[in-house]
Amino acid sequence: MDNSAYIQLLGQGIIETLIMTLGSTFLGYVLGLPIGIILTVTDKDGISPNPFIYKILDFICNILRSIPFIILLILLIPLTTIVVGKSYGTAAMVFPLFVCAAPFIGRMVESSLKEVDPGVIEAARSMGASNFDIIFRVLLVEAKTSLIVNATITTGTILGYTAMAGTVGGGGLGSIAVQYGYYRWNTQVMVITVILIIVIFQLIQNIGMAIASRLDHRK
Amino acid sequence: MSNIIIDHVSKTFTDSETEVHALHDICLKIDSGDIYGVIGMSGAGKSTLVRCLNYLEVPTEGHVYIGDKELGALSESELRNERSKISMIFQHFNLLMQKNVIDNICFPLIIKGVSKKEARKKARELLKTVDLTDKEKAYPAQLSGGQKQRVAIARALASEPEILLCDEATSALDPQTTSSILGLLRRINQELGITIVIITHQMAVVREICNKVAILEHGHLVEHGEVDEVFLNPRTRAAKTLLKYEEAESDG
C-alpha cells in the first residue's frame, strides 16, 4: 500500500468517525433532551412532581447506562438489523451509539437543569409563568452554559465509544487502529489514527468550551 | 382597588414523619394603599405568609381574598392571571443571570404575550422610574446589589400590579442602599397607588416606611395595627423583644 492509499484510508476513517460521533450525539439529544427535561420537571422538587413517570424514566436510564457499551453493542445486533437493515458499517453503528447516548444525555441534561437557582423559578411563578414558560424561558435559558459544556463532554465520550464500535465492524478510525495495529502489527498506522483521534477530541473540546464561555453572562 | 383579606389562614408542612405548623389561624386585613410591614424573627412564618398571598404556597386551611376574588377558588390559569397583578421582589433578587437588564424587565410581559417591541418600550420607561437608564444592556452579574434590586422592582412593575410583595427585599443590602430602595418603594406607593407588603426582620425598615405592622411569632399573629401605636405601646413579649433588639443594634 502506498502513501496515497493510506491517506485515503485515514480520510475515510475520519469521515466515518465524525458521522458516527456527531450523528449519534445529535440523535441522542433529540431523545435525551426531552428525557432530561421530564426527569427534572417530574422529580419530587420539580415544577410538576410525578413519582410514577420519574421512576419509570429513572429506571430505564439506569438500566441502559449500567450495561457496558461493548456488550450493549452485541445485545442490540438483532434490533440494529431491524432498524437500520444491517448490523455492520458506519450507518448501522449510529443506532447502538444512539441507544447508549440518549440516557446518558438525559442524565446530563437533568443535572444541568437542576443547577438552576430555585429562586429564579419561584420568581417566574410569582409573575404568572406557566410550566411551559418555566421550561423554555427559564430552565433552558439559565442552564445553557452548563448544557453546552455537558454536550461537549458527551460528544467526547461518544467519540471514544465509536472506537469500540469499530471492533465489531463499525468503520471509522477505531476500526483502522484495531485492524492495522492489533491484527497486523502496523504500529505506524495505529499511531497516526491515535493522533487523529486526539486531534478530533481536542477540536470538539475547544470549540465546545469556547461557545460555552462566549454565551455565559454570569461573570 | 384591591384589599387583601387573610381569613383564618393556617399552613402545615407535612413531611413523611414530621409536621411543621408554619402558620396558625392568621387573620389580617391589608387595605389598598397601605405599606404593611410583617415582622418577626427568622422561622416565625413571615415568608410562608407572604407566599400565601399569591398562592406560591397554598394554605392548609383558610382563605385569601384579593379584592373580591378568593385565590383558592381560581383555576390554574385564572390564578396565573391574578398573579400578574401581585408582583413580588426577593432578598436575592432572583434575576435571570443569562439575560440582560432590559430582557429581565420584559420577561413578565413576554410571558403574557405582549410583543417584544411593546415590552421593550414599557421596560425603557420603567428603567427611568428606577433610575437605571444607562444599564439597559448590562447583565445582572455586572450590577451592585442595590442596582439588581432596582431591576427586580422594574420587573415587578412591568405587569402594572396592584400589589407588591417584598420578601426581605433589603436584607442583603447595606444601610445606605436599603434607604434608597425604601425611598423608591415609597415613591411607587404614592405615585402609582400600589399596595406594598413588606416582610422583614429589621425594625428600622418598618419604622422608616410602613404605616401598619403585624408581628409574627412561631406562626402566630401576636400583634398588629398602626406602626406608631404598636411601637409606642408594645403589648406582647414578641413586640418588646423586637424593639429591644433594635435598640441593641443601634447602640452597638
Side-chain angles (χ1 to χ4, degrees):
Chain A
M1 245 167 111
D2 58 29
N3 274 347
S4 69
Y6 276 123
I7 290 171
Q8 208 190 351
L9 178 80
L10 290 168
Q12 179 76 14
I14 292 173
I15 290 167
E16 286 172 357
T17 294
L18 287 176
I19 289 172
M20 283 191 284
T21 307
L22 301 178
S24 58
T25 307
F26 174 76
L27 291 175
Y29 266 93
V30 170
L31 185 64
L33 189 65
I35 289 176
I37 292 172
I38 296 169
L39 281 169
T40 310
V41 168
T42 58
D43 195 8
K44 58 181 184 300
D45 298 323
I47 53 177
S48 180
N50 187 324
F52 181 71
I53 293 175
Y54 184 85
K55 274 179 191 149
I56 288 180
L57 270 183
D58 184 61
F59 181 73
I60 295 172
C61 281
N62 284 347
I63 294 286
L64 284 174
R65 297 225 304 116
S66 61
I67 304 171
F69 179 62
I70 191 89
I71 294 169
L72 188 71
L73 206 54
I74 297 162
L75 273 177
L76 282 175
I77 286 174
L79 195 59
T80 307
T81 315
I82 294 169
V83 174
V84 191
K86 56 180 185 175
S87 68
Y88 58 89
T90 304
M93 281 309 121
V94 171
F95 179 70
L97 282 166
F98 153 76
V99 172
C100 167
F104 180 72
I105 291 168
R107 283 287 184 223
M108 288 293 225
V109 170
E110 182 191 11
S111 87
S112 292
L113 298 184
K114 281 183 174 169
E115 283 169 24
V116 174
D117 178 5
V120 178
I121 297 166
E122 186 182 41
R125 284 183 66 211
S126 81
M127 289 178 244
S130 63
N131 286 350
F132 184 88
D133 293 325
I134 291 173
I135 293 167
F136 291 99
R137 296 184 192 281
V138 179
L139 288 177
L140 291 175
V141 172
E142 287 293 281
K144 69 181 173 190
T145 310
S146 167
L147 287 167
I148 293 166
V149 169
N150 281 344
T152 308
I153 295 171
T154 305
T155 313
T157 307
I158 300 299
L159 174 66
Y161 284 176
T162 64
M164 270 190 250
T167 61
V168 295
L173 291 172
S175 159
I176 293 171
V178 172
Q179 279 173 35
Y180 287 81
Y182 187 64
Y183 294 123
R184 300 190 200 170
W185 289 93
N186 185 336
T187 314
Q188 202 187 355
V189 171
M190 196 172 82
V191 169
I192 293 172
T193 53
V194 170
I195 290 171
L196 284 172
I197 290 174
I198 292 172
V199 169
I200 294 173
F201 186 90
Q202 289 298 331
L203 276 175
I204 292 170
Q205 186 74 17
N206 290 345
I207 293 170
M209 290 304 173
I211 295 172
S213 91
R214 171 164 289 203
L215 290 178
D216 192 5
H217 296 293
R218 286 174 300 180
K219 49 187 179 291
Chain B
M1 291 304 281
S2 300
N3 296 332
I4 305 170
I5 295 170
I6 303 164
D7 178 27
H8 295 284
V9 163
S10 296
K11 174 77 188 180
T12 307
F13 292 100
T14 324
D15 215 346
S16 51
E17 284 155 23
T18 50
E19 279 196 345
V20 179
H21 300 281
L23 296 173
H24 295 269
D25 200 28
I26 307 279
C27 293
L28 199 62
K29 183 164 176 284
I30 296 168
D31 292 321
S32 175
D34 271 346
I35 302 186
Y36 210 115
V38 177
I39 189 163
M41 299 293 193
S42 47
K46 313 181 290 283
S47 285
T48 308
L49 180 62
V50 77
R51 278 163 181 73
C52 285
L53 302 185
N54 57 4
Y55 258 49
L56 284 179
E57 293 288 357
V58 178
T60 319
E61 280 169 58
H63 307 281
V64 176
Y65 299 88
I66 305 290
D68 52 1
K69 285 193 182 130
E70 203 240 295
L71 293 184
L74 302 178
S75 72
E76 188 61 36
S77 68
E78 286 170 333
L79 180 62
R80 282 207 302 271
N81 203 28
E82 193 63 25
R83 275 183 187 148
S84 66
K85 295 180 210 157
I86 316 166
S87 287
M88 190 165 183
I89 58 174
F90 303 85
Q91 179 173 8
H92 298 296
F93 326 119
N94 297 351
L95 300 171
L96 292 157
M97 299 302 281
Q98 303 284 18
K99 292 268 188 198
N100 63 18
V101 165
I102 191 109
D103 286 339
N104 262 289
I105 301 172
C106 287
F107 185 89
L109 297 170
I110 299 288
I111 62 173
K112 272 175 81 183
V114 176
S115 76
K116 195 158 183 175
K117 201 176 150 208
E118 295 252 325
R120 293 233 158 170
K121 195 168 152 237
K122 176 87 194 169
R124 290 205 177 94
E125 284 168 27
L126 289 164
L127 276 173
K128 271 187 221 149
T129 309
V130 300
D131 211 9
L132 272 182
T133 35
D134 54 332
K135 297 291 182 192
E136 184 180 320
K137 292 273 185 325
Y139 284 87
Q142 300 160 331
L143 303 177
S144 70
Q147 289 171 330
K148 282 184 206 166
Q149 199 60 289
R150 283 172 187 273
V151 175
I153 290 171
R155 178 174 74 172
L157 295 178
S159 54
E160 299 182 348
E162 292 167 12
I163 296 163
L164 177 62
L165 308 174
C166 309
D167 183 22
E168 298 276 9
T170 57
S171 299
L173 305 174
D174 62 61
Q176 207 178 349
T177 315
T178 295
S179 175
S180 90
I181 293 291
L182 293 179
L184 175 60
L185 291 177
R186 191 184 297 114
R187 216 174 80 213
I188 287 165
N189 171 261
Q190 284 164 358
E191 288 173 13
L192 307 174
I194 295 175
T195 309
I196 299 182
V197 180
I198 292 185
I199 299 294
T200 183
H201 64 274
Q202 298 163 308
M203 273 299 205
V205 168
V206 176
R207 207 183 277 282
E208 190 166 335
I209 186 176
C210 297
N211 63 327
K212 289 184 195 150
V213 64
I215 298 174
L216 279 185
E217 187 185 42
H218 306 309
H220 294 272
L221 180 68
V222 293
E223 208 162 327
H224 64 98
E226 303 280 334
V227 170
D228 298 339
E229 217 166 289
V230 172
F231 281 16
L232 275 177
N233 304 304
R235 285 175 289 118
T236 56
R237 195 172 44 85
K240 285 173 190 156
T241 314
L242 281 164
L243 281 166
K244 219 182 278 170
Y245 201 70
E246 189 201 12
E247 270 169 32
E249 252 186 7
S250 54
D251 288 347

